């Protein structure tokens, strides 16, 4: 409950907004929670009803919550707690100004998420757990952990111990297996499903710190071979890569699938120039690379499917690489430059998650993190050193964004939901909150 919050700013100056303490008080002495899967708590599609709930508080202080599943119960208790405020006279405890009341609440979208990058800058499991609690308060129910990138590999994989030992920034900046499980359990207890992304086959330079033979274009000047430093991607035609991927994902997914039904395989920003340096490919031809990318993604999907996981991937795999994917794969859009990404993907038959960088990137507008190149007149890194997704996305801009405004009603069922994104180039635990 809001034990320390006195809502004075909600009211005009001088208003008497609190109950008088010498009046007869009514107390809520009993809270009843009724669960019945047959409760018709909302008019939404059936798969959304599990999170629906109603709250009734009578004039006499009787409180009743109705839910169709425990997920709805977690949301209901969050809302119930938010009905109460601290009294400025601390001896009088908490009160609600809203009783009697009736609340009927249900989600519009199944997937209401935050994508949190823990790889470019260190974010501890404790900080993530605190973020989960904030998400629960706002009924966000999916935490997408971007758990590896070119810069570091912060997740322990016991069957491949060198990945984190050599790929993390330091031994103190590794999520151990028990840390990841604790975060997933904490999410479960707060109605937030926590799932991981292993960004593949691009953004994998950190793998090369432990297994250099698996990666191409590592330790070369980055501008031609990556969108940001350092360059490096998994080799696409190496006989060593498939068994590595099998070992990696068998280890990770056998653990995470206990607490989540999702796995994100990444798939964004694959740089074709890097494959000119790949001794197993020696080509940057899209025609040459496309079947290799298809085979790689097929392999990853087959492993995830063996653990009964639904796969999510970034939009490039469909829009740029034209891959053929199982119909249950979810495509996540992000590029604000493509206003019709959702429509194009829907026409191909896939479900989508939205979250344009023009609207829902929390880390934009803080400047370029890459060093300037004074000798390169064509460098984008020049005064005033604006990052690619500037300006900063303030709260009003984010709330004004309607991602499905142009989605016809006949396609709305393909929209699973959306995510806001906090990438880690210029954010860390200090700026997380």
């Amino acid at each position: 409950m809001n034990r320390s919050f006195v809502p004075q700013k909600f009211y005009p100056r001088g208003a008497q907004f609190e109950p008088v303490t010498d009046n007869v008080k009514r107390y809520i002495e009993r809270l009843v929670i009724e669960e019945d899967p047959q409760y018709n708590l909302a008019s939404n599609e059936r798969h959304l009803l599990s999170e629906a709930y109603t709250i009734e508080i009578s004039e006499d202080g009787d409180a009743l919550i109705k839910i169709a599943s425990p997920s709805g119960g977690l949301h209901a208790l969050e809302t119930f707690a938010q009905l109460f405020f601290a009294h400025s006279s601390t001896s009088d405890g908490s009160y609600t100004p809203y009783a009697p009341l009736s609340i009927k609440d249900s989600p519009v979208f199944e997937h209401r998420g935050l994508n949190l990058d823990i790889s470019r800058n260190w974010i501890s499991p404790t900080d993530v757990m605190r973020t989960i609690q904030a998400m629960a308060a706002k009924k966000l129910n999916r935490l997408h952990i971007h758990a590896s990138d070119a810069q570091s590999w912060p997740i322990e994989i016991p069957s491949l111990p060198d990945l984190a030992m050599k790929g993390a920034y330091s031994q103190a900046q590794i999520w151990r297996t028990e840390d990841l499980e604790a975060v997933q359990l904490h999410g479960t207890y707060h109605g937030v499903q926590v799932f991981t992304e292993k960004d593949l086959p691009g953004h994998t330079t950190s793998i090369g710190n432990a297994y250099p033979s698996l990666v191409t274009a590592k330790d070369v000047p980055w501008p031609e071979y990556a969108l940001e430093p350092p360059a490096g991607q998994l080799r696409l035609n190496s006989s060593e890569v498939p068994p590595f991927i099998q070992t990696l994902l068998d280890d990770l997914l056998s653990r995470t699938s206990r607490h989540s039904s999702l796995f994100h395989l990444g798939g964004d920003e694959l740089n074709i120039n890097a494959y000119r340096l790949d001794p197993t490919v020696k080509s940057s031809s899209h025609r040459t690379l496309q079947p290799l990318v298809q085979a790689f993604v097929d392999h990853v999907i087959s492993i995830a499917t063996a653990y009964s996981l639904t796969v999510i991937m970034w939009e490039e795999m469909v829009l740029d690489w034209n891959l053929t994917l199982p119909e249950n794969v979810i495509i996540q859009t992000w590029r604000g430059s493509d206003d019709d990404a959702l429509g194009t993907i829907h026409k191909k038959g896939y479900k989508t998650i939205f979250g344009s960088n023009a609207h829902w990137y929390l880390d934009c507008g803080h400047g370029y993190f890459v060093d300037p190149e004074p000798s390169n007149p064509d460098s984008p890194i020049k005064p005033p050193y604006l990052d690619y997704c500037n300006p900063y996305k303030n709260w009003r801009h984010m709330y004004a964004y309607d991602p499905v405004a142009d989605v016809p009603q006949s396609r709305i069922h393909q929209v699973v939901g959306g995510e806001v994104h906090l990438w880690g180039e210029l954010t860390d635990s200090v700026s997380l909150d």
Side-chain angles (χ1 to χ4, degrees):
M1 295 186 182
N2 301 308
R3 299 185 186 279
S4 61
F5 179 51
V6 177
Q8 184 171 355
K9 289 188 176 181
F10 290 176
Y11 299 90
R13 182 184 288 109
Q16 177 58 49
F17 62 91
E18 295 178 309
V20 179
T21 58
D22 57 1
N23 284 357
V24 176
K25 302 178 182 64
R26 290 193 179 94
Y27 295 93
I28 295 176
E29 297 183 350
R30 187 176 66 154
L31 170 62
V32 176
I33 301 177
E34 294 181 356
E35 178 184 355
D36 187 339
Q38 301 306 313
Y39 274 147
N40 183 22
L41 301 177
S43 59
N44 306 69
E45 296 180 36
R46 188 68 204 171
H47 67 278
L48 297 176
L49 298 185
S50 65
E51 295 186 87
Y53 63 90
T54 63
I55 300 176
E56 304 280 348
I57 300 179
S58 72
E59 185 75 38
D60 296 326
D62 294 325
L64 172 64
I65 290 174
K66 290 185 177 181
I67 58 175
S69 80
S71 296
L74 291 171
H75 296 321
L77 291 173
E78 283 284 349
T79 299
F80 187 82
Q82 292 166 18
L83 298 173
F84 294 83
F85 300 104
H87 200 285
S88 58
S89 171
T90 56
S91 61
D92 290 290
S94 300
Y95 70 96
T96 178
Y98 304 120
L101 63 81
S102 176
I103 295 173
K104 188 174 184 179
D105 190 18
S106 61
V108 174
F109 294 109
E110 178 183 359
H111 189 115
R112 308 178 303 281
L114 167 67
N115 170 26
L116 185 60
D117 179 1
I118 67 167
S119 57
R120 291 185 172 99
N121 269 308
W122 167 249
I123 296 180
S124 73
T126 301
D127 292 321
V128 175
M129 290 185 195
R130 187 177 69 254
T131 300
I132 286 171
Q133 292 169 212
M135 292 175 66
K138 302 302 181 184
K139 312 301 188 295
L140 297 179
N141 70 341
R142 299 287 188 270
L143 179 57
H144 166 181
I145 299 288
H146 184 79
S148 64
D149 214 290
Q151 291 81 359
S152 84
W153 186 285
I155 296 287
E156 179 186 35
I157 305 295
S159 60
L160 298 165
D162 282 351
L163 270 177
M165 294 293 286
K166 296 180 179 180
Y169 286 128
S170 74
Q171 299 307 297
Q173 295 182 327
I174 296 174
W175 280 39
R176 306 295 175 181
T177 56
E178 58 268 25
D179 295 324
L180 179 55
E181 181 168 36
V183 168
Q184 286 195 290
L185 280 171
H186 193 72
T188 298
Y189 298 152
H190 288 82
V192 178
Q193 184 181 153
V194 180
F195 65 96
T196 59
E197 176 189 353
K198 286 299 174 187
D199 203 349
L200 305 166
H203 291 269
T204 45
T205 321
S206 58
I207 292 175
N209 295 324
Y211 302 96
S213 65
L214 301 181
V215 173
T216 187
K218 187 178 184 294
D219 300 323
V220 298
W222 69 270
E224 186 177 356
Y225 303 106
L227 286 181
E228 65 179 41
Q233 299 177 169
L234 283 175
R235 296 181 179 183
L236 282 179
N237 205 23
S238 167
S239 61
E240 297 179 64
V241 170
F244 167 82
I245 292 295
Q246 186 79 46
T247 301
L248 165 65
L249 296 183
D250 278 341
D251 188 318
L252 178 67
L253 302 185
S254 64
R255 293 181 281 113
T256 61
S257 60
R258 302 172 197 161
H259 309 289
S260 173
S261 62
L262 303 171
F263 172 64
H264 202 305
L265 69 73
D268 63 320
E269 299 178 337
L270 196 60
N271 186 291
I272 62 175
N273 294 329
Y275 291 108
R276 290 202 306 267
L277 308 182
D278 181 347
T280 70
V281 178
K282 297 181 180 179
S283 175
S284 59
S285 163
H286 193 280
R287 184 174 180 178
T288 299
L289 295 173
Q290 200 274 350
L292 298 175
V293 175
Q294 179 76 66
F296 179 91
V297 170
D298 286 347
H299 183 214
V300 174
I301 290 175
S302 70
I303 300 170
T305 301
Y307 292 97
S308 301
L309 294 170
T310 297
V311 173
I312 304 171
M313 65 184 72
W314 296 109
E315 63 180 71
E316 288 95 319
M317 291 291 97
V318 170
L319 299 181
D320 298 356
W321 292 94
N322 195 30
L323 299 191
T324 301
L325 305 169
E327 62 180 12
N328 67 331
V329 167
I330 300 171
I331 307 301
Q332 183 163 17
T333 63
W334 67 274
R335 294 181 293 191
S337 59
D338 186 356
D339 293 333
D340 195 37
L342 287 177
T344 302
I345 296 166
H346 290 160
K347 289 174 184 176
K348 291 177 178 288
Y350 302 112
K351 293 186 176 181
T352 57
I353 295 171
F354 51 75
S356 165
N357 62 17
H359 300 276
W360 279 8
Y361 270 32
L362 294 167
D363 55 292
C364 292
H366 298 294
Y368 240 112
F369 76 98
V370 179
D371 288 338
E373 302 172 88
S375 62
N376 180 7
D378 297 323
S379 172
I381 309 164
K382 60 187 67 174
Y385 304 109
L386 300 176
D387 53 49
Y388 80 99
C389 59
N390 74 91
Y392 174 77
K393 311 301 186 257
N394 63 63
W395 69 270
R396 191 177 295 277
H397 179 75
M398 298 185 77
Y399 272 85
Y401 171 50
D402 182 359
V404 297
D406 297 323
V407 177
Q409 194 61 38
S410 61
R411 297 286 188 182
I412 286 290
H413 68 281
Q414 291 174 255
V415 181
V416 180
E419 290 181 0
V420 295
H421 305 264
L422 186 63
W423 296 109
E425 288 91 342
L426 292 171
T427 59
D428 59 12
S429 290
V430 175
S431 55
L432 178 59
D433 293 343

